[in-house]
Amino acid sequence: MANIKTSNLPIETLRADLVRAAKETRRVVLSAPTGSGKSTQVPQMLLDGGCVPDGQKIIVLQPRRLAARMLAARVAQERGAELGTEVGYHIRLERRFGPDTKILFVTEGILLRMMLSDPTLPDVAAVVFDEFHERHLYSDLGIAMTYQLQKTARPELIIAVMSATLDSESLANYLAPAETLVAEGRTYPLTVSYSAAAHKVADAPVWEAAAHHFGKLAAAQPEGDMLIFMPGAYEIQRTVESIRGSSASKDWLVFPLYGELPPREQDAAVERYDARKVVVATNVAETSITIDGITAVIDAGLARIARYDPHRGINTLLIEKISQASAEQRAGRAGRTAPGQVLRLWSEKEHAHRPPREDPEVRRVDLSETVLALKLHGVEKVADFPWFEKPEKSSLERALTVLYDLGALDREERLTDVGRRMAAFPVHPRYARMLLAAEDYGCVWQICILAAIAQGRRLVLPLNNKRRADERDDLFGESTSDFFHALRAWGMARRKNFDIGFCKQWGIHGGAAREAERLAGQFANIARGQGLDASEGRMDESAVRKCLLLGFSDHLARRDNRATLRCSLVHGRRGELRRDSAVRDAELFVAAEIDEIETRGDVTTLLSMATEIEEDWLEEVFPGDLEEGTETYWDSMQKRAMGRRVRRFRDLVLEEKESGEPNPDEAAALLTTAVLEGRAELKNWNDSVEKWIARVNFAARNLPALGIAEIDDDGRRLLTEQICHGCVSSRDLREADPWPALNTWLSDEQRMALKTMLPKTFDLPGRRKPVDIRYEGDRAIISSKLQDFYDVDPKGLRIGGGELPLTIEMLAPNGRPCQITNDLAQFWKTSYEGVKKELKGRYPKHEWR
């Protein structure tokens, strides 16, 4: 073991408290600013503090591959160890560690794979979550899984969560009991300025603005290095070219820094040199990696943010404006060793309107891959999983639907054998399903290319030169998939080594083609890692189309007819195939891209990157999702129920034809809906029926001993359906008699009790005809002129076997209500004189006692 050395970094002040907390509470929340040394020193403190038993190690999670590799190299160097021995790293497609490794830097997905392989992490003593404030999906998932592990099988496991800008309170509450530690940083004054003019000129790309301001800052600042933030590799390369082409860079070294660079070039960017240097980096330099000597920062204010792309049905990196918190992190890189300058390529007013911080990934990305991992981990109901921050219900439902459509889950949300195999691939489940199918069909390499094209930028561009466009169409030829046109364009560019002039001549996006080459290589390496044959070979177009069907079956569409591009999709959606699609004559197809375009308040769903599908393939690859049978439907023109024979894939109708008379039960249900929605009428359902229902409901609420059920909305539907049974059209309903069905609601005893205990009328002394009883809610009401009640015995105004009082509505001589009471005797004693006084003057000829 290397000699234990203490550092002079700010984090050193927490060494004793960190080790104590790790041993006592086992849960530590650490807040320390950028440059305080937490990423490199905390793992060493835990190791040197005796927190790691023999045979175990510390796992340090980093959100980015570049940071994991470079931090491992830095810690190994500090400990005087060869990288890969005591200190190592494990990132996707690359690993350097051994049986004696004590500190292992990994990316977040690697920890998840480790826990899926062995959920108890038997050789892990501590898990350290670095840069947790970035709130990546897998860090949220990882902390929940390790927390559950610690509370159950591994109480001795140490969990440490740290960040430069951390919501310590919410995290400490989630991990409670946990100890919170705070380290102060050393910062120097920063001069922050804004350049509102940088983006005012539409034709001035951000890299040109950055190069321009680099020249001004380089001249104004005689010492120190510079850091420029750009959103991605393309913008970085253009910035590097612009700076190297300017006279201001004469005595400067210029380096790019991003994740896809070879390790040697990444290392070169962070080395110390005698000459001044400028590093153009992605947000990997925002927190994870410290570049010594930086005294000036130029910030483009942009980053590639992972977000669910409904256009492709997958997660996509989109260029977006960074938050205020991210801008502060970037600015802090210039004030670590000396006073610094920060230039933001946006206005101060715009800065004030930027969000305080980014939304966590769990609220903005597709969860299909995550849900698949949880299922493999044994989680039965993902909604009940103890998320650090619970995702939206709609996001979980969408993920479950996608996984069911891909065959990864069954109807009870249980993992299938196919789903178990898919979970082994560190890619979106769509591509995992396609790669599995590609192995069976012998087209793995082609699917790797198509997957790369599907998640990249549009490769085939419009051509203004009509002659050249026609030539390209001839070269592409007729096709059964828009992907095949893109694939042929990619092949043309590849054979010319992605020559910019050639690509421009033929309307091929050279950058997208080159990116597809890189991504295809990554997919191929993943496929080989799972034992698939990813060697290049001749393409079987039918096999590739079947793989696309398996990956995008939830985007299956059927044209309405040959005369239109409008179509129906799975899951009850409607859409329209783009006119420039190569498969515009296909009746059945899958669309890898779906765009919703709103114009004048209407939303048009456009389908593109389409692939023609043979209907008999559905029987081959999804035999359980095809259904055929008869069904009944409502014809709004004829206002009647009709029967038809239907063949469906899931809920998408593939074929239908008339089949004669409808099913009686289904016809009754359709007629019932039409009646309840006012599209058809039961002529004989009249006022007497409504009065009878009111009596029944009054009995149900006020005479429970009779055991009568109330006729609520469901009851009305049930009775209506019984009345409609045997009818097929609105005309049939006009003569339908409701009473046979209504009478089934009550038994003979209940009907007799209703008749005797809750009569329709009531006899009032002095009146030749009985008065009607109105049953309204919980009141039974009789209405008559006030004088009709002069000789009535109040005790006799009851129904329900004497248990329920009648409500009396007294009418003035003009027939309008003048008093309502449930207690006639009390009315005569208290209110009558006032009523009499008011009415007698207007109606003196009537009797007033």
Side-chain angles (χ1 to χ4, degrees), residues 732-797:
D732 296 338
L733 294 180
R734 293 172 192 164
E735 305 303 323
D737 182 4
W739 287 106
L742 295 174
N743 286 331
T744 64
W745 194 263
L746 304 176
S747 67
D748 291 340
E749 292 81 3
Q750 289 171 334
R751 274 195 298 275
M752 183 59 67
L754 189 71
K755 183 177 181 180
T756 57
M757 299 185 74
L758 300 180
K760 296 181 183 179
T761 61
F762 188 83
D763 291 322
L764 277 176
R767 281 196 54 143
R768 280 178 285 179
K769 289 185 178 181
V771 295
D772 290 335
I773 301 178
R774 302 196 319 268
Y775 293 91
E776 297 179 359
D778 287 331
R779 297 192 305 174
I781 306 170
I782 57 172
S783 296
S784 194
K785 290 185 178 180
L786 182 148
Q787 285 78 6
D788 294 338
F789 293 95
Y790 279 154
D791 298 317
V792 172
D793 181 2
K795 296 180 181 179
L797 294 175

Side-chain angles (χ1 to χ4, degrees), residues 55-68:
Q56 293 189 329
K57 57 179 168 285
I58 301 169
I59 298 293
V60 186
L61 267 76
Q62 288 295 325
R64 297 176 184 83
R65 289 175 294 164
L66 187 153

Side-chain angles (χ1 to χ4, degrees), residues 312 446 448-461 472-473 475-495 498 502-503 506-510 512-517 520 539 541 544 548 580-583 592-593 608-611:
R312 294 167 178 161
Q446 287 81 11
C448 289
I449 303 169
L450 262 62
I453 291 172
Q455 69 175 43
R457 291 171 286 180
R458 186 167 294 279
L459 203 146
V460 181
L461 304 174
R472 187 176 71 179
D473 289 344
L475 280 172
F476 287 171
E478 293 187 0
S479 178
T480 52
S481 175
D482 293 323
F483 275 110
F484 295 162
H485 280 179
L487 192 59
R488 287 163 193 161
W490 174 81
M492 290 169 60
R494 189 190 193 202
R495 285 190 290 274
F498 308 104
F502 175 84
C503 290
W506 289 99
I508 301 170
H509 193 306
R514 189 183 294 275
E515 179 71 4
E517 168 90 349
M539 182 172 72
E541 290 194 0
V544 171
L548 286 164
D580 60 356
S581 173
V583 298
E593 296 182 357
S608 56
M609 292 308 288
T611 300

Side-chain angles (χ1 to χ4, degrees), residues 218-265:
Q221 212 169 10
E223 294 181 349
D225 297 334
M226 197 178 304
L227 177 60
I228 300 176
F229 284 100
M230 286 286 155
Y234 176 75
E235 294 80 11
I236 287 174
Q237 292 295 355
R238 296 302 302 267
T239 306
V240 168
E241 292 169 7
S242 296
I243 291 175
R244 286 175 176 167
S246 69
S247 58
S249 66
K250 179 181 178 183
D251 299 320
W252 288 72
L253 300 173
V254 186
F255 297 101
L257 182 60
Y258 54 92
E260 289 74 30
L261 276 177
R264 182 169 44 83
E265 295 183 39

Side-chain angles (χ1 to χ4, degrees), residues 4 14 247 324 339 346 372 464 545-546 701 765 792 814:
I4 298 174
L14 296 182
S247 58
Q324 294 179 15
W346 64 94
L372 185 59
N464 294 325
R545 287 159 60 199
K546 289 178 183 178
R701 289 191 290 267
V792 172
N814 65 355

Side-chain angles (χ1 to χ4, degrees), residues 271-291:
E271 290 291 332
R272 297 298 300 266
Y273 300 93
D274 293 334
R276 299 175 74 185
K277 71 177 179 183
V278 54
V279 178
V280 188
T282 59
N283 56 2
V284 70
E286 186 177 308
T287 55
S288 303
I289 294 175
T290 297
I291 305 173

Side-chain angles (χ1 to χ4, degrees), residues 175-248:
L175 293 174
E179 184 155 351
T180 300
L181 302 176
V182 180
E184 301 297 332
R186 288 196 292 266
T187 58
Y188 291 84
L190 287 176
T191 301
V192 179
S193 56
Y194 296 83
S195 176
H199 294 305
K200 284 186 177 178
V201 182
D203 295 331
V206 66
W207 49 84
E208 290 185 7
H212 169 73
H213 286 289
F214 160 77
K216 294 176 68 175
L217 276 178
Q221 212 169 10
E223 294 181 349
D225 297 334
M226 197 178 304
L227 177 60
I228 300 176
F229 284 100
M230 286 286 155
Y234 176 75
E235 294 80 11
I236 287 174
Q237 292 295 355
R238 296 302 302 267
T239 306
V240 168
E241 292 169 7
S242 296
I243 291 175
R244 286 175 176 167
S246 69
S247 58

